[in-house]
Amino acid sequence: MTSQIEYDFDRYLRYDELVEWVDQLVATNPDLVAVETYGRSYEGRDLFVVTVTDASTGSHDTKPAHWIDASIHAVELTATVAACRVLQRLVDGFRAGDDTITRALRTRTFYVVPRVNPDGAEWVLADRPRFRRSSVRPWPFADAHRWPGLHEEDVDGDGRILQMRFPDPDGPWIPHPDDARVLIPVPVTGVAAGTPRYRVLDEGVIEDFDGFSVPAPRAPEGLDLNRNFPAGWGSKVNGSGDHPLSEPEIDALVRAMVARPNICGFNAFHTSGGVLLRPSSTVPDAKLPPNDLWAWKQLAAIGTELTGYPSHSLYEDFTWDTSETMSGASDDWAYEHLGVFSWTTEFWDIVHAATGHKQSTHFWYTGPTDDERLAVARWLDRLEGDDDSGFVEWYPFEHPQLGPVELGGFNHLHSWTNPPLSMLSDEVDRHADFAVAQALAAPCLHVAHTAVESVGEGTWRVTVGVANVGWLPTTVTVQAALHDLVRPIVADLEGPGVTVLDGAVRRSLGQLKGSSSVRLGAGGTPDRTTCTWLVAAAAGAEVTVTVRHQRAGTEVVTIVLGT
C-alpha cells in the first residue's frame, strides 16, 4: 500500500506530487470527487479538471456549476495551493456535516483545475529554476532562438532567482538612506556627487551581451497564456500568441468549459495584490449592463466579507493606460462569451502584510514606494526559519557575462509574488467559502407544483409548476440574455401508454428570473412558470416530467394519473 501524501497547504507541489494528491482525494472520496483529463500541455503533461459534487443527488452535469482554475502564470504558485484548499474544504465540510457545504454539494457542482500551466510551474519549481511569464513554448520563433538580453534563471545554482547589482556611476538605483541593503530609484532631482549608484537586474544570463546595454527580451519571456483567449484578442497585445487559442493549454481549457454548459460562475486564481478583480478589462463600468454591474457588486460585498480582499474593476481601477488595455484574458472571455459572472483573485499583498495598508491599484505599473520597499525588507528580516529567505544579504558572484556582481536583495518568488510558506495556508484558507457562496447564488430549477385534472374518459390535463430557486436568473447575466447565449428551459413528458394530444411532447418554457429580481423591483412571479399537457392514458398510468436547463440543472418528477 502506498503512503498517503500529507499536505497542509504550506508548500508548493511539483506536478507528479500534485497528480498523486488529487488521485488520493478521488480514491478516498469516490462519491464526491472525480478527475478527468481535458488536454495536454505543450511539454506533454496531462491537463486535468477535478469535479466535486454529491453523486447521490445526481450527476455533475445535471446541476448548476462553479468553475475555478489556477496558476495560468508560472510563478503564481499560491494559486494552485488555493485551488487545492478549495477541494479539501469541500470534502472536509461535507464529511463534517457543514450545512452550507452539504447543501452546495447536493445541489451544485464544482469544477476545479489546480494548475492550468504545469510546464511553467515545473520550470519555476525546478532545483535550478528558470522563469517564464507563462508558457514555455518558444515564441515567436519555433526554433527557440534566444533573443539578445536578460533571461531570468538561477545563475549560481543555489535554487533561487534573486537580484543582481553592480556599481554604475550612471545607474538608476541608490541605497535607501535608512538601510543601504535596500535599493530605491534615483529621485526626480538626482543625487549628490559621490552617492553610490547601481544597476539592478533580475538574476539571469545575458544573451549576446555587447558589454554595455542589457535589453529586456519581451518576446520569449512574454508569451502570456492569459492573453490568448478570444475576448479582445489582438496581435498588438503583449504576449497574445499567434492567434486566439493558439496555445494548447488555452485551447483545451476553453473547450473543457464549453463542454460544460452548466457553468454559472468563473474564478481564476492568480497572484498578487490581495484583491478580487472583475471585468471589464476593456470598457468602463458605464458600458456594462446596469443589472449585471449591480449583481457583481452584491457578490463582491460577500467576497470582501469572507476573504478580506477588496473588489475592483480591472478597467476602472487597475488599468494604467486605458488606450492599452489588458485584453484576451480569461475573465473577460467568461463574461463576454459565456455570459457568467467572472473573477480574478489576486492572492497576497506583501505591502499590506508589512505596513497595514493596501498596495496602490497601479502597483503593477509603478511598483512600491521607497518607504514600502524598506518596510517590506525589514518585515522579511523579522521572519525566521524557512521563511527568512525573502530578502537575501548581498554576496559576491562572478557573473559569466557581467563579471563581478553581487547577488541578493529580494527573492521575489517568496516575497512579492507569493507569501512566506508559514503564511501560505492562512492566505488561501478563506477563499473556499467565497466559492461556495458564488455557487449557491446560481440559478437552480425546482418542480414546485404538480396537478392532474380529468377532462373526460381517459383524458387528463397535467400541469407542472417550475421555479428558479436560485438568486440569479437562469441566463445568469444580462450579457447572456442580450446575446442569446443560453438555451431556454425545456420540459418533456413521457410514460408508457401515454399519448400527448395537444402538440409536442417537449415544451419550451423560456427563462426565469431569480430571487435577485425582487431587489430590482420586479413584481409578480418572474421566477415561476407553468406548463400543461393534454394527454390520453388509462387511470393509474404514470407520466414522467423532466425539466432541464443547461445552467439551472435538471429535475424529474413522476405523476400518477387519477390521483
Side-chain angles (χ1 to χ4, degrees):
M1 180 176 177
T2 59
S3 61
Q4 297 285 296
I5 295 177
E6 297 294 334
Y7 188 39
D8 293 324
F9 312 101
D10 55 356
R11 58 191 174 91
Y12 307 119
L13 302 179
R14 297 286 295 268
Y15 177 79
D16 288 345
E17 192 175 17
L18 175 62
V19 170
E20 188 176 352
W21 183 82
V22 168
D23 287 345
Q24 177 178 293
L25 194 68
V26 173
T28 54
N29 300 278
D31 56 332
L32 294 178
V33 188
V35 64
E36 180 181 352
T37 297
Y38 65 87
R40 292 177 73 81
S41 70
Y42 171 74
E43 292 188 333
R45 294 180 176 88
D46 282 342
L47 305 169
F48 56 89
V49 57
V50 184
T51 300
V52 188
T53 194
D54 180 359
S56 71
T57 59
S59 61
H60 69 93
D61 54 348
T62 63
K63 305 172 187 178
H66 187 66
W67 177 282
I68 294 172
D69 60 49
S71 295
I72 198 170
H73 291 141
V75 297
E76 298 175 6
L77 303 171
T78 301
T80 291
V81 181
C84 291
R85 185 67 188 96
V86 170
L87 293 172
Q88 191 69 62
R89 173 83 172 104
L90 292 173
V91 169
D92 290 349
F94 188 86
R95 298 300 182 210
D98 181 290
D99 289 341
T100 302
I101 289 179
T102 298
R103 178 162 58 97
L105 291 184
R106 285 179 174 167
T107 62
R108 307 298 198 271
T109 294
F110 294 83
Y111 299 122
V112 180
V113 177
R115 189 167 285 164
V116 174
N117 178 15
D119 298 350
E122 286 301 287
W123 279 34
V124 172
L125 291 169
D127 293 339
R128 191 161 186 168
R130 295 175 290 169
F131 281 2
R132 281 284 176 92
R133 164 68 174 164
S134 197
S135 173
V136 304
R137 182 176 78 86
W139 182 80
F141 301 113
D143 64 359
H145 170 78
R146 284 170 67 91
W147 286 48
L150 179 69
H151 297 257
E152 288 185 63
E153 58 185 75
D154 174 16
V155 295
D156 68 341
D158 68 351
R160 304 175 297 190
I161 297 180
L162 305 174
Q163 295 175 284
M164 307 188 297
R165 75 176 187 182
F166 53 92
D168 183 334
D170 302 316
W173 295 87
I174 61 172
H176 193 289
D178 295 331
D179 190 332
R181 303 172 308 152
V182 178
L183 300 180
I184 58 176
V186 170
V188 174
T189 56
V191 294
T195 302
R197 298 175 69 158
Y198 292 91
R199 291 281 165 184
V200 179
L201 305 171
D202 291 321
E203 184 178 347
V205 297
I206 303 170
E207 193 73 20
D208 296 334
F209 184 46
D210 64 8
F212 184 73
S213 60
V214 181
R218 293 294 299 168
E221 303 299 341
L223 181 55
D224 188 339
L225 296 178
N226 203 35
R227 300 293 178 266
N228 194 233
F229 288 84
W233 185 92
S235 59
K236 292 185 178 180
V237 176
N238 198 25
S240 60
D242 300 323
H243 55 77
L245 309 183
S246 62
E247 306 314 302
E249 295 87 353
I250 305 309
D251 181 69
L253 189 77
V254 165
R255 292 177 187 277
M257 292 184 67
V258 171
R260 293 163 174 79
N262 56 324
I263 293 171
C264 297
F266 170 86
N267 198 329
F269 285 177
H270 290 244
T271 69
S272 61
V275 289
L276 305 173
L277 301 179
R278 60 165 176 81
S280 170
S281 298
T282 58
V283 299
D285 284 354
K287 292 190 175 182
L288 298 177
N291 284 11
D292 281 355
L293 186 59
W294 174 84
W296 243 320
K297 289 181 177 180
Q298 307 309 302
L299 294 171
I302 295 172
T304 298
E305 179 183 1
L306 292 173
T307 69
Y309 284 13
S311 171
H312 293 279
S313 156
L314 274 157
Y315 183 91
E316 300 279 1
D317 301 331
F318 267 70
T319 300
W320 178 255
D321 180 355
T322 55
S323 68
E324 189 175 337
T325 56
M326 297 180 285
S327 58
S330 64
D331 50 6
D332 278 349
W333 173 75
Y335 176 66
E336 294 177 18
H337 290 213
L338 300 183
V340 302
F341 291 111
S342 54
W343 298 93
T344 292
T345 299
E346 297 282 355
F347 288 93
W348 181 236
D349 178 356
I350 195 172
V351 171
H352 185 260
T355 68
H357 66 80
K358 294 294 295 179
Q359 296 176 1
S360 162
T361 57
H362 290 150
F363 184 91
W364 295 348
Y365 304 92
T366 63
T369 66
D370 297 351
D371 288 344
E372 286 171 345
R373 289 182 198 277
L374 178 62
V376 167
R378 290 185 169 175
W379 179 80
L380 290 168
D381 286 343
R382 294 194 292 272
L383 300 179
E384 298 178 353
D386 293 338
D387 287 338
D388 64 359
S389 61
F391 188 86
V392 177
E393 299 291 340
W394 298 98
Y395 60 93
F397 177 72
E398 189 68 23
H399 191 273
Q401 290 86 39
L402 296 171
V405 300
E406 289 180 295
L407 299 181
F410 289 110
N411 182 353
H412 280 267
L413 186 67
H414 297 285
S415 57
W416 297 93
T417 307
N418 298 285
L421 294 180
S422 65
M423 306 177 74
L424 187 55
S425 178
D426 286 344
E427 188 67 27
V428 304
D429 191 55
R430 299 162 287 174
H431 293 263
D433 290 338
F434 184 36
V436 171
Q438 291 181 77
L440 287 173
C444 189
L445 290 186
H446 174 54
V447 178
H449 168 73
T450 62
V452 177
E453 177 188 0
S454 174
V455 295
E457 185 67 28
T459 306
W460 316 85
R461 180 174 289 110
V462 178
T463 302
V464 297
V466 181
N468 172 18
V469 297
W471 187 74
L472 290 168
T474 53
T475 58
V476 176
T477 63
V478 175
Q479 168 76 6
L482 288 173
H483 296 277
D484 200 20
L485 299 176
V486 182
R487 297 187 295 276
I489 304 166
V490 295
D492 294 285
L493 181 147
E494 61 183 358
V498 177
T499 302
V500 175
L501 302 176
D502 62 342
V505 169
R506 172 169 292 179
R507 306 292 166 89
S508 176
L509 307 185
Q511 308 286 355
L512 294 177
K513 299 293 185 182
S515 59
S516 61
S517 64
V518 174
R519 295 280 186 181
L520 297 171
T525 57
D527 57 330
R528 290 182 169 187
T529 191
T530 56
C531 184
T532 301
W533 295 264
L534 190 66
V535 303
E542 289 188 350
V543 296
T544 299
V545 176
T546 302
V547 182
R548 61 170 61 86
H549 184 268
Q550 68 181 86
R551 291 189 169 170
T554 299
E555 185 152 317
V556 181
V557 295
T558 299
I559 304 168
V560 179
L561 302 180
T563 61

